[in-house]
Amino acid sequence: MRLEPVETWEQLPAGRRHDDVAAVAVDSRDRVYLFTRRDPAVLVYERDGRFVRAWPDGLFSERAHGITIGPGDSVYCVDDADHSVRKFTTDGELLLTLGTRGQASDTGYDGSDLATIARGGPPFNRPTNLAVAPNGDLYVSDGYGNARVHQFRADGQLIRSWGQPGGGPGEFRLPHGICVLGDGRVLVADRESDRIQVFDPDGRYLEEWRDIQRPTQLCVGPDGLIYVSELWWRKGQRSERFGEITADRYGRVSALRPDGSVVGRWGGSAPGTPGGFTAPHGIAVDSRGDVYVAEVTYTFGVAPGLVSPGRAPTLQKLAPR
């Protein structure tokens, strides 16, 4: 497989910018939705990069996190700091709210570290992403302040929750991304455990895929492959699985078969270099197989002084060749 960067794809209007793009999604018309951490939080583009619209200011906190296109091109936005998931029209009109806005569930989390999560709790404590199942059920990964997955009916009724903090089967160290396959299997990007856990539609653990690095989000392409965005492990950090990181493991994108085996990988080189990524955080694939990678470049690269401002992108498009 070959994927090559599409240079200068995004035609961002004058006067607008985004320091972090937390997530990206594609609708039935191959329009591209960027969920940014700068007002306006949602920007919409045509497939060729022409700007379409921006949603109204003030809808989200500064911790915009996940965006998913559902049936009828409904748009689900996961707001980490607001402890909510909201469903909108393509124009930004609110249709449904999951969770109590601004109210975190009780998990013991004190805001400082994942290690303070003492137990799994109800929805939500800093949720991360949402996936829509073939039958319309909604699955939400609830990760930064919780260690659970929640399953809802399409109308927002909670069906079940599962997960606890830890590294065992069905336990999570930051469930960060989620998708549902056509056969109903639920894939959860267990970020800080460097694995993808696989569950049946009722939350029963099936297996885990370990040929992966800090997975942040997953999506299924038109070719049936599963595309995964993977975060940078920096030299000097420590992974529960890999131990002390003695050399940079740069961000990348992987394509997996439905059995978890790897088909292709892209990236893995330093930020700001051709084909390199800073902080892949979200991913989407359109009907023609073009891949969009959202990066939280400011948070992971610029703010800690590892990447110069303007040196690395926050959204990259890769096209098959």
Side-chain angles (χ1 to χ4, degrees), residues 105-167:
S105 65
D106 181 12
T107 64
Y109 177 65
D110 67 5
S112 66
D113 191 274
L114 292 174
T116 65
I117 301 173
R119 57 195 168 274
F124 297 109
N125 194 322
R126 301 189 65 189
T128 50
N129 274 290
L130 174 144
V132 184
N135 69 353
D137 284 355
L138 310 174
Y139 292 83
V140 180
S141 53
D142 194 5
Y144 280 102
N146 206 342
R148 308 212 90 182
V149 171
H150 310 287
Q151 180 184 0
F152 297 85
R153 301 196 192 282
D155 63 4
Q157 179 183 348
L158 181 66
I159 299 172
R160 63 175 57 87
S161 301
W162 72 85
Q164 296 292 333

Coordinates of all heavy atoms in Angstrom, one line a residue, residues 105-167:
S105 N -18.6 12.3 36.6 CA -19.0 11.2 37.5 C -17.9 10.9 38.5 O -16.8 11.4 38.3 CB -19.3 10.0 36.6 OG -18.1 9.5 36.0
D106 N -18.3 10.2 39.5 CA -17.3 10.0 40.6 C -16.5 8.7 40.4 O -17.1 7.6 40.4 CB -18.1 9.8 42.0 CG -17.2 9.6 43.2 OD1 -15.9 9.7 43.0 OD2 -17.7 9.2 44.2
T107 N -15.3 8.9 40.0 CA -14.4 7.7 39.8 C -13.1 7.8 40.7 O -12.3 6.9 40.7 CB -13.9 7.7 38.4 OG1 -13.1 8.9 38.1 CG2 -15.0 7.7 37.4
G108 N -13.1 8.8 41.6 CA -11.9 9.1 42.4 C -10.8 9.9 41.7 O -9.9 10.4 42.3
Y109 N -11.0 10.2 40.4 CA -10.0 11.0 39.6 C -9.9 12.4 40.2 O -10.9 13.1 40.4 CB -10.5 11.0 38.2 CG -9.6 11.8 37.3 CD1 -8.3 11.5 37.0 CD2 -10.1 12.9 36.6 CE1 -7.5 12.2 36.1 CE2 -9.4 13.7 35.7 CZ -8.1 13.3 35.5 OH -7.3 14.0 34.6
D110 N -8.7 12.9 40.4 CA -8.5 14.2 41.0 C -8.0 15.2 40.0 O -7.7 16.3 40.3 CB -7.6 14.1 42.2 CG -6.2 13.8 41.9 OD1 -5.8 13.7 40.7 OD2 -5.4 13.6 42.8
G111 N -7.9 14.8 38.7 CA -7.5 15.7 37.7 C -6.0 15.7 37.4 O -5.5 16.4 36.5
S112 N -5.2 15.1 38.2 CA -3.7 15.1 38.1 C -3.1 14.0 37.3 O -2.2 14.2 36.6 CB -3.1 15.2 39.5 OG -3.3 13.9 40.2
D113 N -3.6 12.8 37.4 CA -3.0 11.7 36.8 C -4.0 10.5 36.7 O -4.9 10.4 37.5 CB -1.8 11.2 37.8 CG -0.9 10.2 37.1 OD1 -1.2 9.0 37.2 OD2 0.1 10.6 36.5
L114 N -3.8 9.7 35.7 CA -4.6 8.5 35.5 C -4.6 7.6 36.7 O -5.6 6.9 36.9 CB -4.2 7.8 34.2 CG -4.4 8.4 32.8 CD1 -3.8 7.6 31.8 CD2 -5.9 8.7 32.6
A115 N -3.5 7.6 37.4 CA -3.3 6.7 38.5 C -4.3 7.0 39.6 O -4.6 6.1 40.5 CB -1.9 6.7 39.1
T116 N -4.9 8.2 39.6 CA -5.9 8.5 40.7 C -7.3 8.0 40.4 O -8.2 8.1 41.2 CB -6.0 10.0 40.9 OG1 -6.5 10.7 39.7 CG2 -4.6 10.6 41.2
I117 N -7.5 7.4 39.2 CA -8.8 6.8 38.9 C -8.9 5.5 39.7 O -8.2 4.5 39.5 CB -9.0 6.5 37.4 CG1 -8.8 7.7 36.6 CG2 -10.3 5.8 37.1 CD1 -8.8 7.5 35.1
A118 N -9.8 5.5 40.7 CA -9.9 4.4 41.7 C -10.8 3.3 41.2 O -10.7 2.2 41.6 CB -10.3 4.9 43.0
R119 N -11.8 3.7 40.4 CA -12.8 2.7 40.0 C -13.5 3.3 38.7 O -13.5 4.5 38.4 CB -13.9 2.6 41.1 CG -14.5 4.0 41.4 CD -15.3 3.9 42.7 NE -15.6 5.3 43.2 CZ -14.7 6.1 43.9 NH1 -13.5 5.6 44.2 NH2 -15.1 7.3 44.2
G120 N -14.2 2.3 38.0 CA -15.0 2.7 36.9 C -16.3 3.4 37.4 O -16.8 3.0 38.4
G121 N -16.7 4.4 36.7 CA -17.9 5.1 37.1 C -18.9 5.3 36.0 O -18.6 4.9 34.8
P122 N -20.1 5.8 36.2 CA -21.1 6.1 35.2 C -20.6 7.1 34.2 O -19.6 7.8 34.4 CB -22.3 6.5 36.0 CG -21.8 7.1 37.3 CD -20.5 6.3 37.6
P123 N -21.4 7.4 33.2 CA -21.1 8.5 32.2 C -21.2 9.8 32.9 O -22.2 10.0 33.6 CB -22.1 8.3 31.1 CG -22.8 7.0 31.4 CD -22.6 6.7 32.8
F124 N -20.3 10.8 32.7 CA -19.0 10.6 32.0 C -18.0 11.3 32.9 O -18.3 12.2 33.7 CB -18.9 11.3 30.7 CG -19.9 10.7 29.6 CD1 -21.0 11.5 29.2 CD2 -19.6 9.5 29.0 CE1 -21.8 10.9 28.2 CE2 -20.4 9.0 28.0 CZ -21.5 9.7 27.7
N125 N -16.7 11.0 32.8 CA -15.6 11.8 33.4 C -14.5 11.9 32.4 O -13.7 11.0 32.2 CB -15.1 11.1 34.7 CG -14.3 12.0 35.5 OD1 -13.5 12.8 35.0 ND2 -14.4 11.9 36.8
R126 N -14.6 13.0 31.6 CA -13.7 13.3 30.5 C -13.7 12.3 29.4 O -12.7 11.6 29.2 CB -12.3 13.5 31.1 CG -12.2 14.7 32.1 CD -10.7 15.0 32.5 NE -10.0 15.5 31.3 CZ -8.7 15.8 31.3 NH1 -8.0 15.5 32.4 NH2 -8.1 16.3 30.2
P127 N -14.8 12.1 28.7 CA -15.0 11.2 27.7 C -14.1 11.6 26.5 O -13.7 12.7 26.3 CB -16.5 11.2 27.3 CG -16.9 12.6 27.7 CD -16.1 13.0 28.9
T128 N -13.9 10.6 25.6 CA -12.9 10.8 24.5 C -13.5 10.6 23.1 O -13.3 11.5 22.2 CB -11.7 9.8 24.7 OG1 -12.3 8.5 24.9 CG2 -10.9 10.2 25.9
N129 N -14.2 9.6 22.8 CA -14.7 9.3 21.4 C -16.0 8.5 21.4 O -16.3 7.9 22.4 CB -13.6 8.6 20.6 CG -12.7 9.6 19.9 OD1 -13.0 10.3 19.0 ND2 -11.4 9.6 20.4
L130 N -16.7 8.5 20.3 CA -17.9 7.8 20.1 C -17.9 7.0 18.8 O -17.3 7.5 17.8 CB -19.1 8.8 20.1 CG -20.5 8.2 19.8 CD1 -21.6 8.9 20.7 CD2 -20.8 8.3 18.3
A131 N -18.5 5.8 18.8 CA -18.7 5.1 17.6 C -20.2 4.6 17.5 O -20.9 4.4 18.5 CB -17.8 3.8 17.6
V132 N -20.7 4.5 16.3 CA -22.0 4.1 16.0 C -22.0 2.7 15.4 O -21.3 2.4 14.5 CB -22.8 5.0 15.0 CG1 -24.2 4.6 14.8 CG2 -22.7 6.5 15.5
A133 N -22.8 1.8 16.1 CA -22.8 0.4 15.6 C -23.8 0.2 14.4 O -24.6 1.1 14.2 CB -23.3 -0.5 16.8
P134 N -23.7 -0.9 13.7 CA -24.6 -1.1 12.6 C -26.1 -1.1 13.0 O -26.9 -0.7 12.2 CB -24.2 -2.5 12.1 CG -22.7 -2.6 12.4 CD -22.6 -1.9 13.7
N135 N -26.4 -1.4 14.2 CA -27.8 -1.4 14.6 C -28.2 -0.1 15.2 O -29.3 0.1 15.7 CB -28.1 -2.5 15.7 CG -27.4 -2.3 17.0 OD1 -26.6 -1.3 17.1 ND2 -27.6 -3.1 18.0
G136 N -27.3 0.9 15.2 CA -27.6 2.3 15.7 C -27.2 2.5 17.1 O -27.3 3.7 17.5
D137 N -26.8 1.5 17.9 CA -26.3 1.8 19.2 C -25.1 2.6 19.2 O -24.3 2.6 18.3 CB -26.0 0.4 19.9 CG -27.2 -0.3 20.4 OD1 -28.3 0.2 20.2 OD2 -27.1 -1.5 20.9
L138 N -24.9 3.4 20.3 CA -23.8 4.3 20.5 C -22.8 3.7 21.5 O -23.3 3.4 22.6 CB -24.3 5.7 20.9 CG -25.4 6.3 20.0 CD1 -25.9 7.6 20.7 CD2 -25.0 6.5 18.6
Y139 N -21.6 3.7 21.2 CA -20.5 3.3 22.2 C -19.6 4.5 22.4 O -19.1 5.1 21.5 CB -19.7 2.1 21.6 CG -20.5 0.8 21.5 CD1 -21.3 0.6 20.4 CD2 -20.5 -0.1 22.5 CE1 -22.0 -0.6 20.3 CE2 -21.2 -1.3 22.4 CZ -21.9 -1.5 21.3 OH -22.7 -2.7 21.2
V140 N -19.4 4.8 23.7 CA -18.5 5.9 24.1 C -17.4 5.5 24.9 O -17.6 4.8 25.9 CB -19.4 7.0 24.8 CG1 -18.5 8.2 25.2 CG2 -20.6 7.5 24.0
S141 N -16.2 5.8 24.5 CA -15.0 5.6 25.3 C -14.9 6.8 26.3 O -14.9 7.9 25.9 CB -13.7 5.5 24.5 OG -13.6 6.6 23.6
D142 N -14.8 6.4 27.6 CA -14.8 7.4 28.7 C -13.5 7.3 29.4 O -13.3 6.5 30.3 CB -16.0 7.1 29.6 CG -16.3 8.3 30.6 OD1 -15.7 9.3 30.5 OD2 -17.2 8.1 31.4
G143 N -12.5 8.2 29.0 CA -11.1 7.8 29.3 C -10.3 8.6 30.2 O -9.6 8.0 31.0
Y144 N -10.2 9.9 30.1 CA -9.2 10.6 30.9 C -9.5 10.6 32.4 O -8.6 10.6 33.2 CB -9.1 12.1 30.4 CG -8.3 12.2 29.1 CD1 -8.9 12.4 27.9 CD2 -6.9 12.2 29.2 CE1 -8.1 12.5 26.7 CE2 -6.1 12.3 28.0 CZ -6.7 12.5 26.8 OH -6.0 12.6 25.7
G145 N -10.8 10.6 32.7 CA -11.1 10.6 34.1 C -11.9 9.4 34.5 O -12.4 9.2 35.7
N146 N -12.0 8.4 33.6 CA -12.7 7.2 33.8 C -12.0 6.1 33.2 O -10.9 6.3 32.6 CB -14.2 7.3 33.3 CG -15.2 6.4 34.0 OD1 -14.8 5.4 34.6 ND2 -16.5 6.7 33.8
A147 N -12.5 4.8 33.2 CA -11.8 3.7 32.6 C -12.9 2.7 32.1 O -12.9 1.6 32.3 CB -10.9 3.0 33.6
R148 N -13.8 3.3 31.3 CA -15.0 2.5 30.9 C -15.4 2.8 29.5 O -15.0 3.8 28.8 CB -16.2 2.9 31.8 CG -16.0 2.8 33.3 CD -17.2 2.3 34.0 NE -17.3 0.9 34.2 CZ -18.2 0.2 34.7 NH1 -19.3 0.8 35.2 NH2 -18.2 -1.1 34.8
V149 N -16.2 1.9 29.0 CA -17.0 2.1 27.7 C -18.5 2.0 28.1 O -18.9 1.2 28.9 CB -16.7 0.9 26.7 CG1 -17.6 1.0 25.5 CG2 -15.2 1.1 26.3
H150 N -19.2 2.9 27.5 CA -20.7 3.0 27.8 C -21.4 2.7 26.5 O -21.1 3.3 25.4 CB -21.1 4.4 28.3 CG -20.3 4.8 29.5 ND1 -20.4 4.3 30.8 CD2 -19.3 5.8 29.6 CE1 -19.5 4.9 31.6 NE2 -18.9 5.8 30.9
Q151 N -22.5 1.9 26.6 CA -23.3 1.6 25.4 C -24.7 2.2 25.6 O -25.3 2.0 26.6 CB -23.4 0.1 25.2 CG -24.2 -0.3 24.0 CD -24.4 -1.9 24.0 OE1 -23.9 -2.6 24.8 NE2 -25.1 -2.3 23.0
F152 N -25.1 3.0 24.6 CA -26.4 3.6 24.6 C -27.3 3.2 23.4 O -26.7 2.9 22.4 CB -26.3 5.2 24.5 CG -25.5 5.8 25.6 CD1 -24.1 5.9 25.6 CD2 -26.2 6.4 26.7 CE1 -23.4 6.5 26.6 CE2 -25.5 7.0 27.7 CZ -24.1 7.0 27.7
R153 N -28.6 3.3 23.6 CA -29.4 3.2 22.4 C -29.4 4.5 21.6 O -28.9 5.5 22.2 CB -30.9 2.9 22.8 CG -31.0 1.6 23.6 CD -32.5 1.2 23.7 NE -32.6 0.1 24.7 CZ -32.3 -1.1 24.5 NH1 -31.8 -1.5 23.3 NH2 -32.4 -2.0 25.5
A154 N -29.9 4.5 20.4 CA -29.8 5.7 19.6 C -30.5 6.9 20.2 O -30.1 8.1 20.0 CB -30.4 5.4 18.2
D155 N -31.5 6.6 21.1 CA -32.2 7.8 21.7 C -31.5 8.3 23.0 O -32.1 9.2 23.7 CB -33.7 7.3 22.0 CG -33.8 6.2 23.0 OD1 -32.7 5.7 23.6 OD2 -34.9 5.7 23.3
G156 N -30.4 7.7 23.3 CA -29.6 8.1 24.5 C -29.8 7.3 25.7 O -29.2 7.6 26.8
Q157 N -30.6 6.3 25.7 CA -30.8 5.4 26.9 C -29.6 4.6 27.1 O -29.2 3.9 26.2 CB -32.1 4.6 26.7 CG -32.3 3.6 27.9 CD -33.5 2.7 27.7 OE1 -34.3 2.9 26.7 NE2 -33.7 1.7 28.5
L158 N -29.1 4.6 28.3 CA -27.9 3.8 28.7 C -28.3 2.3 28.8 O -29.3 1.9 29.4 CB -27.3 4.3 30.0 CG -26.1 3.5 30.5 CD1 -24.9 3.8 29.6 CD2 -25.7 3.9 31.9
I159 N -27.5 1.5 28.1 CA -27.8 0.0 28.1 C -26.9 -0.6 29.1 O -27.3 -1.4 29.9 CB -27.5 -0.6 26.7 CG1 -28.5 0.1 25.6 CG2 -27.6 -2.1 26.7 CD1 -28.2 -0.4 24.2
R160 N -25.6 -0.4 29.0 CA -24.6 -1.0 29.9 C -23.3 -0.2 29.9 O -23.0 0.6 28.9 CB -24.3 -2.5 29.5 CG -23.7 -2.7 28.1 CD -23.4 -4.1 27.9 NE -24.5 -5.0 28.0 CZ -25.4 -5.3 27.0 NH1 -25.2 -4.7 25.8 NH2 -26.4 -6.1 27.2
S161 N -22.4 -0.5 30.9 CA -21.1 0.0 30.9 C -20.1 -1.1 31.3 O -20.6 -2.0 32.0 CB -21.0 1.2 31.9 OG -21.8 2.3 31.6
W162 N -18.9 -1.0 30.9 CA -17.9 -2.0 31.3 C -16.5 -1.4 31.4 O -16.3 -0.4 30.7 CB -17.9 -3.3 30.5 CG -17.3 -3.1 29.1 CD1 -16.0 -3.3 28.7 CD2 -18.0 -2.9 27.9 NE1 -15.9 -3.1 27.4 CE2 -17.1 -2.9 26.8 CE3 -19.4 -2.6 27.5 CZ2 -17.4 -2.6 25.5 CZ3 -19.7 -2.4 26.2 CH2 -18.7 -2.4 25.2
G163 N -15.7 -2.0 32.2 CA -14.3 -1.5 32.3 C -13.9 -1.0 33.7 O -14.8 -0.5 34.4
Q164 N -12.7 -1.2 34.0 CA -12.1 -0.8 35.3 C -10.7 -0.3 35.0 O -10.1 -0.7 34.0 CB -12.1 -1.9 36.4 CG -13.4 -2.4 36.8 CD -14.2 -1.4 37.6 OE1 -13.7 -0.5 38.2 NE2 -15.6 -1.5 37.5
P165 N -10.0 0.5 35.9 CA -8.7 0.8 35.7 C -7.7 -0.4 35.8 O -7.9 -1.2 36.7 CB -8.4 1.9 36.8 CG -9.5 1.7 37.8 CD -10.6 1.2 37.1
G166 N -6.7 -0.5 34.9 CA -5.8 -1.6 35.0 C -5.3 -2.0 33.7 O -5.7 -1.5 32.6
G167 N -4.5 -3.0 33.7 CA -3.9 -3.5 32.4 C -4.3 -4.9 32.0 O -3.8 -5.5 31.1

